[in-house]
């Protein structure tokens, strides 16, 4: 979670004073344009479109890529419900795939769940962990599938030298209060495709027809919804973007220090990571669920068992599992040739992993010695008097 402070306050003040709050309508470039250009540059991607939320970014990205009724989209068993709900919002249906010990989609299970109706893979970089993108892109190429990355929980994080969200065909980011860039609520869609970008702009702005900015594209106009961000969001985003890489460096540093200490533990082992050299997420694994629970109860601050943040476990996505839509005739589950069936135990391996795993916060806003002290306490080894007094 990124901090918000005086700089954001001043940036918002300038927007309020300018009187130009809306995305379109003012003269010249506004803060949103500046953010989109800066984000594209920093992330090494051709197009960025700021939108009102991460969920909106996913919906917009899926619509831009042309996904819809009859399509199956593979989503992981461990993610925020928005991932699956976004698939349904464009009329496609989510097919739920097991995670592995990296806490992201298991490539072997992706292959098992592909059917003739599968059109896309939607990997989620959970809790700043990165997916095995090399394997996922290989599977996508082999089976002719699109890849829509949900990088909402890993904004700015790198996978083998590239930013998450910029590797697949389309990427979605969230900037809500709990994410690496925090403006309360917000999001962005990114793509290297001119066509997907034109379609995303149309979809996110029902009035795109009247803006003139789409004149250079050949894509015929279709109607959309309104997922536009405001210039107030744009002003905050410009400030937050500058803080992102320094924050990730702080996380990286603490990750190095803490994993060195934690790797000597007897009671648990470090969870695997798909790109250990760039890791900014940390989890530890136990033999049994009971041990993981006890560890989380003992350490509490900055430690929790993944299964207990149960909103992110597929078994708790009742409206999705029970296939309920706002209107019975607008229910994508009734539009598929082959019914998609869900059962509580369909991803038993994910449940087992989540029950035996604790996530450990890297405390990027706390001093390194304090985090080292906490890690030492988790190992249960000797804690020197000097370090004790520091923490006190
Ligand atoms: C936060 C989040 C979203 C949705 O973002 P909002 O900005 O809250 O709409 C989607 N997917 C994942 C994995 C998330 O963590």
């Amino acid at each position: 979670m990124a901090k918000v402070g005086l700089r954001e306050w001043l940036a918002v003040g300038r927007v309020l004073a300018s009187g130009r709050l809306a995305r379109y309508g003012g003269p010249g470039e506004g803060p949103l344009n500046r953010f989109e250009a800066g984000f594209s540059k920093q992330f090494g991607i051709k197009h960025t479109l700021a939108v009102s939320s991460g969920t909106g970014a996913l919906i917009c990205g899926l619509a831009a890529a042309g996904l819809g009724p009859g399509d199956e989209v593979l989503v992981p068993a461990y993610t925020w419900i928005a991932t699956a709900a976004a698939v349904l919002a464009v009329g496609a249906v989510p097919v739920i795939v097991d995670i592995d010990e990296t806490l992201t989609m298991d490539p072997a299970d992706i292959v098992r769940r592909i059917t003739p109706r599968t059109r896309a893979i939607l990997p989620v970089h959970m809790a700043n962990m990165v997916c095995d993108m090399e394997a996922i892109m290989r599977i996508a190429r082999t089976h002719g599938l699109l890849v829509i990355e949900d990088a909402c929980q890993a904004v700015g994080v790198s996978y083998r030298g590239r930013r998450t969200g910029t590797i697949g065909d389309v990427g979605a980011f969230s900037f809500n209060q709990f994410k690496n860039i925090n403006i309360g609520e917000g999001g962005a869609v990114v793509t290297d495709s001119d066509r997907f970008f034109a379609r995303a702009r149309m979809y996110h702005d029902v009035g795109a027809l009247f803006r003139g900015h789409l004149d250079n594209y050949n894509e015929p106009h279709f109607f959309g919804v309104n997922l536009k961000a405001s210039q107030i969001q744009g002003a905050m985003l410009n400030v937050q973007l500058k803080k992102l890489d320094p924050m990730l460096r702080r996380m990286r540093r603490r990750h190095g220090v803490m994993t060195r200490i934690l790797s000597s533990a007897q009671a648990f082992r470090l969870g695997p990571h798909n790109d250990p050299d760039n890791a900014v997420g940390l989890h530890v694994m136990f033999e049994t669920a009971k041990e993981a629970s006890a560890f989380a109860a003992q350490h509490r601050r900055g430690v929790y068992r993944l299964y207990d943040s149960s909103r992110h476990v597929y078994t708790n996505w009742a409206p999705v599992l029970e296939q309920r839509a706002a209107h019975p005739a607008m229910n994508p589950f009734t539009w598929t040739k082959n019914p998609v069936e869900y059962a509580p135990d369909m991803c038993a391996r994910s449940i087992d992993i989540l029950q035996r795993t604790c996530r450990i916060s890297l405390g990027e806003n706390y001093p390194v010695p304090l985090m080292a002290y906490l890690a030492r306490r988790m190992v249960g080894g000797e804690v020197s008097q000097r370090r004790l007094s520091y923490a006190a």
Side-chain angles (χ1 to χ4, degrees):
M1 191 195 305
K3 281 191 196 162
V4 171
L6 183 63
R7 284 172 205 280
E8 286 82 353
W9 194 81
L10 291 170
V12 168
R14 276 193 295 275
V15 172
L16 297 182
S18 80
R20 181 191 179 180
L21 310 189
R23 162 97 239 201
Y24 298 117
E29 303 265 285
L32 279 171
N33 293 85
R34 278 201 298 284
F35 168 72
E36 289 167 345
F39 195 85
S40 294
K41 185 153 176 266
Q42 196 164 322
F43 278 59
I45 190 95
K46 195 163 175 195
H47 301 291
T48 300
L49 179 69
V51 293
S52 50
S53 73
T55 309
L58 281 169
I59 295 170
C60 189
L62 289 160
L67 289 150
D71 297 336
E72 291 178 5
V73 177
L74 302 176
V75 306
Y78 176 52
T79 179
W80 174 232
I81 187 171
T83 313
V87 172
L88 289 160
V90 298
V93 291
V95 168
I96 302 174
V97 172
D98 259 319
I99 58 161
D100 60 25
E101 291 189 351
T102 68
L103 311 182
T104 62
M105 266 182 165
D106 175 11
D109 200 48
I110 292 177
V111 174
R112 279 194 289 273
R113 310 238 186 200
I114 290 174
T115 74
R117 297 164 299 283
T118 309
R119 283 268 328 272
I121 309 175
L122 208 173
V124 181
H125 306 283
M126 272 302 275
N128 284 326
M129 302 293 290
V130 293
C131 300
D132 184 350
M133 288 309 291
E134 241 160 62
I136 290 171
M137 296 309 288
R138 200 177 326 116
I139 295 166
R141 271 194 294 276
T142 308
H143 294 267
L145 307 175
L146 289 161
V147 175
I148 315 296
E149 282 178 88
D150 180 338
C152 289
Q153 286 201 19
V155 180
V157 179
S158 293
Y159 169 84
R160 301 191 186 175
R162 293 167 78 185
R163 305 268 189 169
T164 57
T166 68
I167 301 162
D169 298 281
V170 175
F173 299 92
S174 168
F175 307 134
N176 83 21
Q177 180 155 9
F178 309 101
K179 307 295 162 79
N180 293 345
I181 284 182
N182 163 19
I183 60 162
E185 300 283 358
V189 193
V190 301
T191 182
D192 276 323
S193 156
D194 295 342
R195 176 157 178 270
F196 288 174
F197 179 60
R199 289 175 56 92
R201 274 221 280 202
M202 283 184 224
Y203 188 79
H204 104 296
D205 172 22
V206 70
L209 178 60
F210 309 104
R211 309 285 182 222
H213 60 226
L214 294 172
D215 290 351
N216 299 331
Y217 291 100
N218 298 322
E219 194 73 13
H221 285 284
F222 53 76
F223 57 80
V225 293
N226 183 355
L227 300 171
K228 295 198 302 292
S230 78
Q231 301 293 355
I232 297 172
Q233 289 170 302
M236 287 187 79
L237 283 170
N238 284 321
V239 178
Q240 283 274 309
L241 183 60
K242 286 206 196 84
K243 297 180 173 178
L244 178 64
D245 284 348
M247 185 182 84
L248 291 168
R249 278 195 291 276
R250 291 199 300 278
M251 293 164 87
R252 181 78 206 104
R253 169 108 195 275
R254 284 153 184 74
H255 184 275
V257 169
M258 293 172 79
T259 49
R260 262 194 303 283
I261 296 167
L262 294 170
S263 60
S264 68
Q266 303 290 316
F268 54 79
R269 64 188 165 87
L270 293 171
H273 194 286
N274 284 315
D275 183 4
D277 294 339
N278 292 302
V280 289
L282 176 55
H283 63 292
V284 296
M285 305 198 58
F286 296 81
E287 289 296 321
T288 65
K290 225 172 112 187
E291 288 167 85
S293 285
F295 181 78
Q298 188 188 345
H299 293 284
R300 263 182 259 137
R301 262 196 92 78
V303 177
Y304 66 90
R305 191 175 71 134
L306 294 179
Y307 187 72
D308 301 327
S309 78
S310 53
R311 282 175 293 189
H312 295 91
V313 185
Y314 73 95
T315 44
N316 294 301
W317 308 340
V320 175
L321 298 194
E322 291 162 24
Q323 310 193 348
R324 268 197 309 277
H327 191 290
M330 289 289 276
N331 189 334
F333 289 105
T334 64
W335 304 338
T336 53
K337 273 209 203 73
N338 290 52
V340 168
E341 274 160 25
Y342 298 133
D345 62 352
M346 65 189 162
C347 291
R349 178 147 177 261
S350 304
I351 303 281
D352 174 56
I353 291 169
L354 296 169
Q355 286 181 335
R356 291 186 295 107
T357 305
C358 288
R359 180 170 151 71
I360 296 176
S361 162
L362 296 173
E364 64 274 9
N365 296 323
Y366 296 95
V368 174
L370 173 61
M371 298 319 291
Y373 162 77
L374 292 174
R376 238 173 242 113
R377 245 184 25 179
M378 291 173 203
V379 174
E382 293 278 303
V383 177
S384 81
Q385 232 21 65
R386 188 177 62 81
R387 290 205 172 82
L388 270 175
S389 60
Y390 185 97

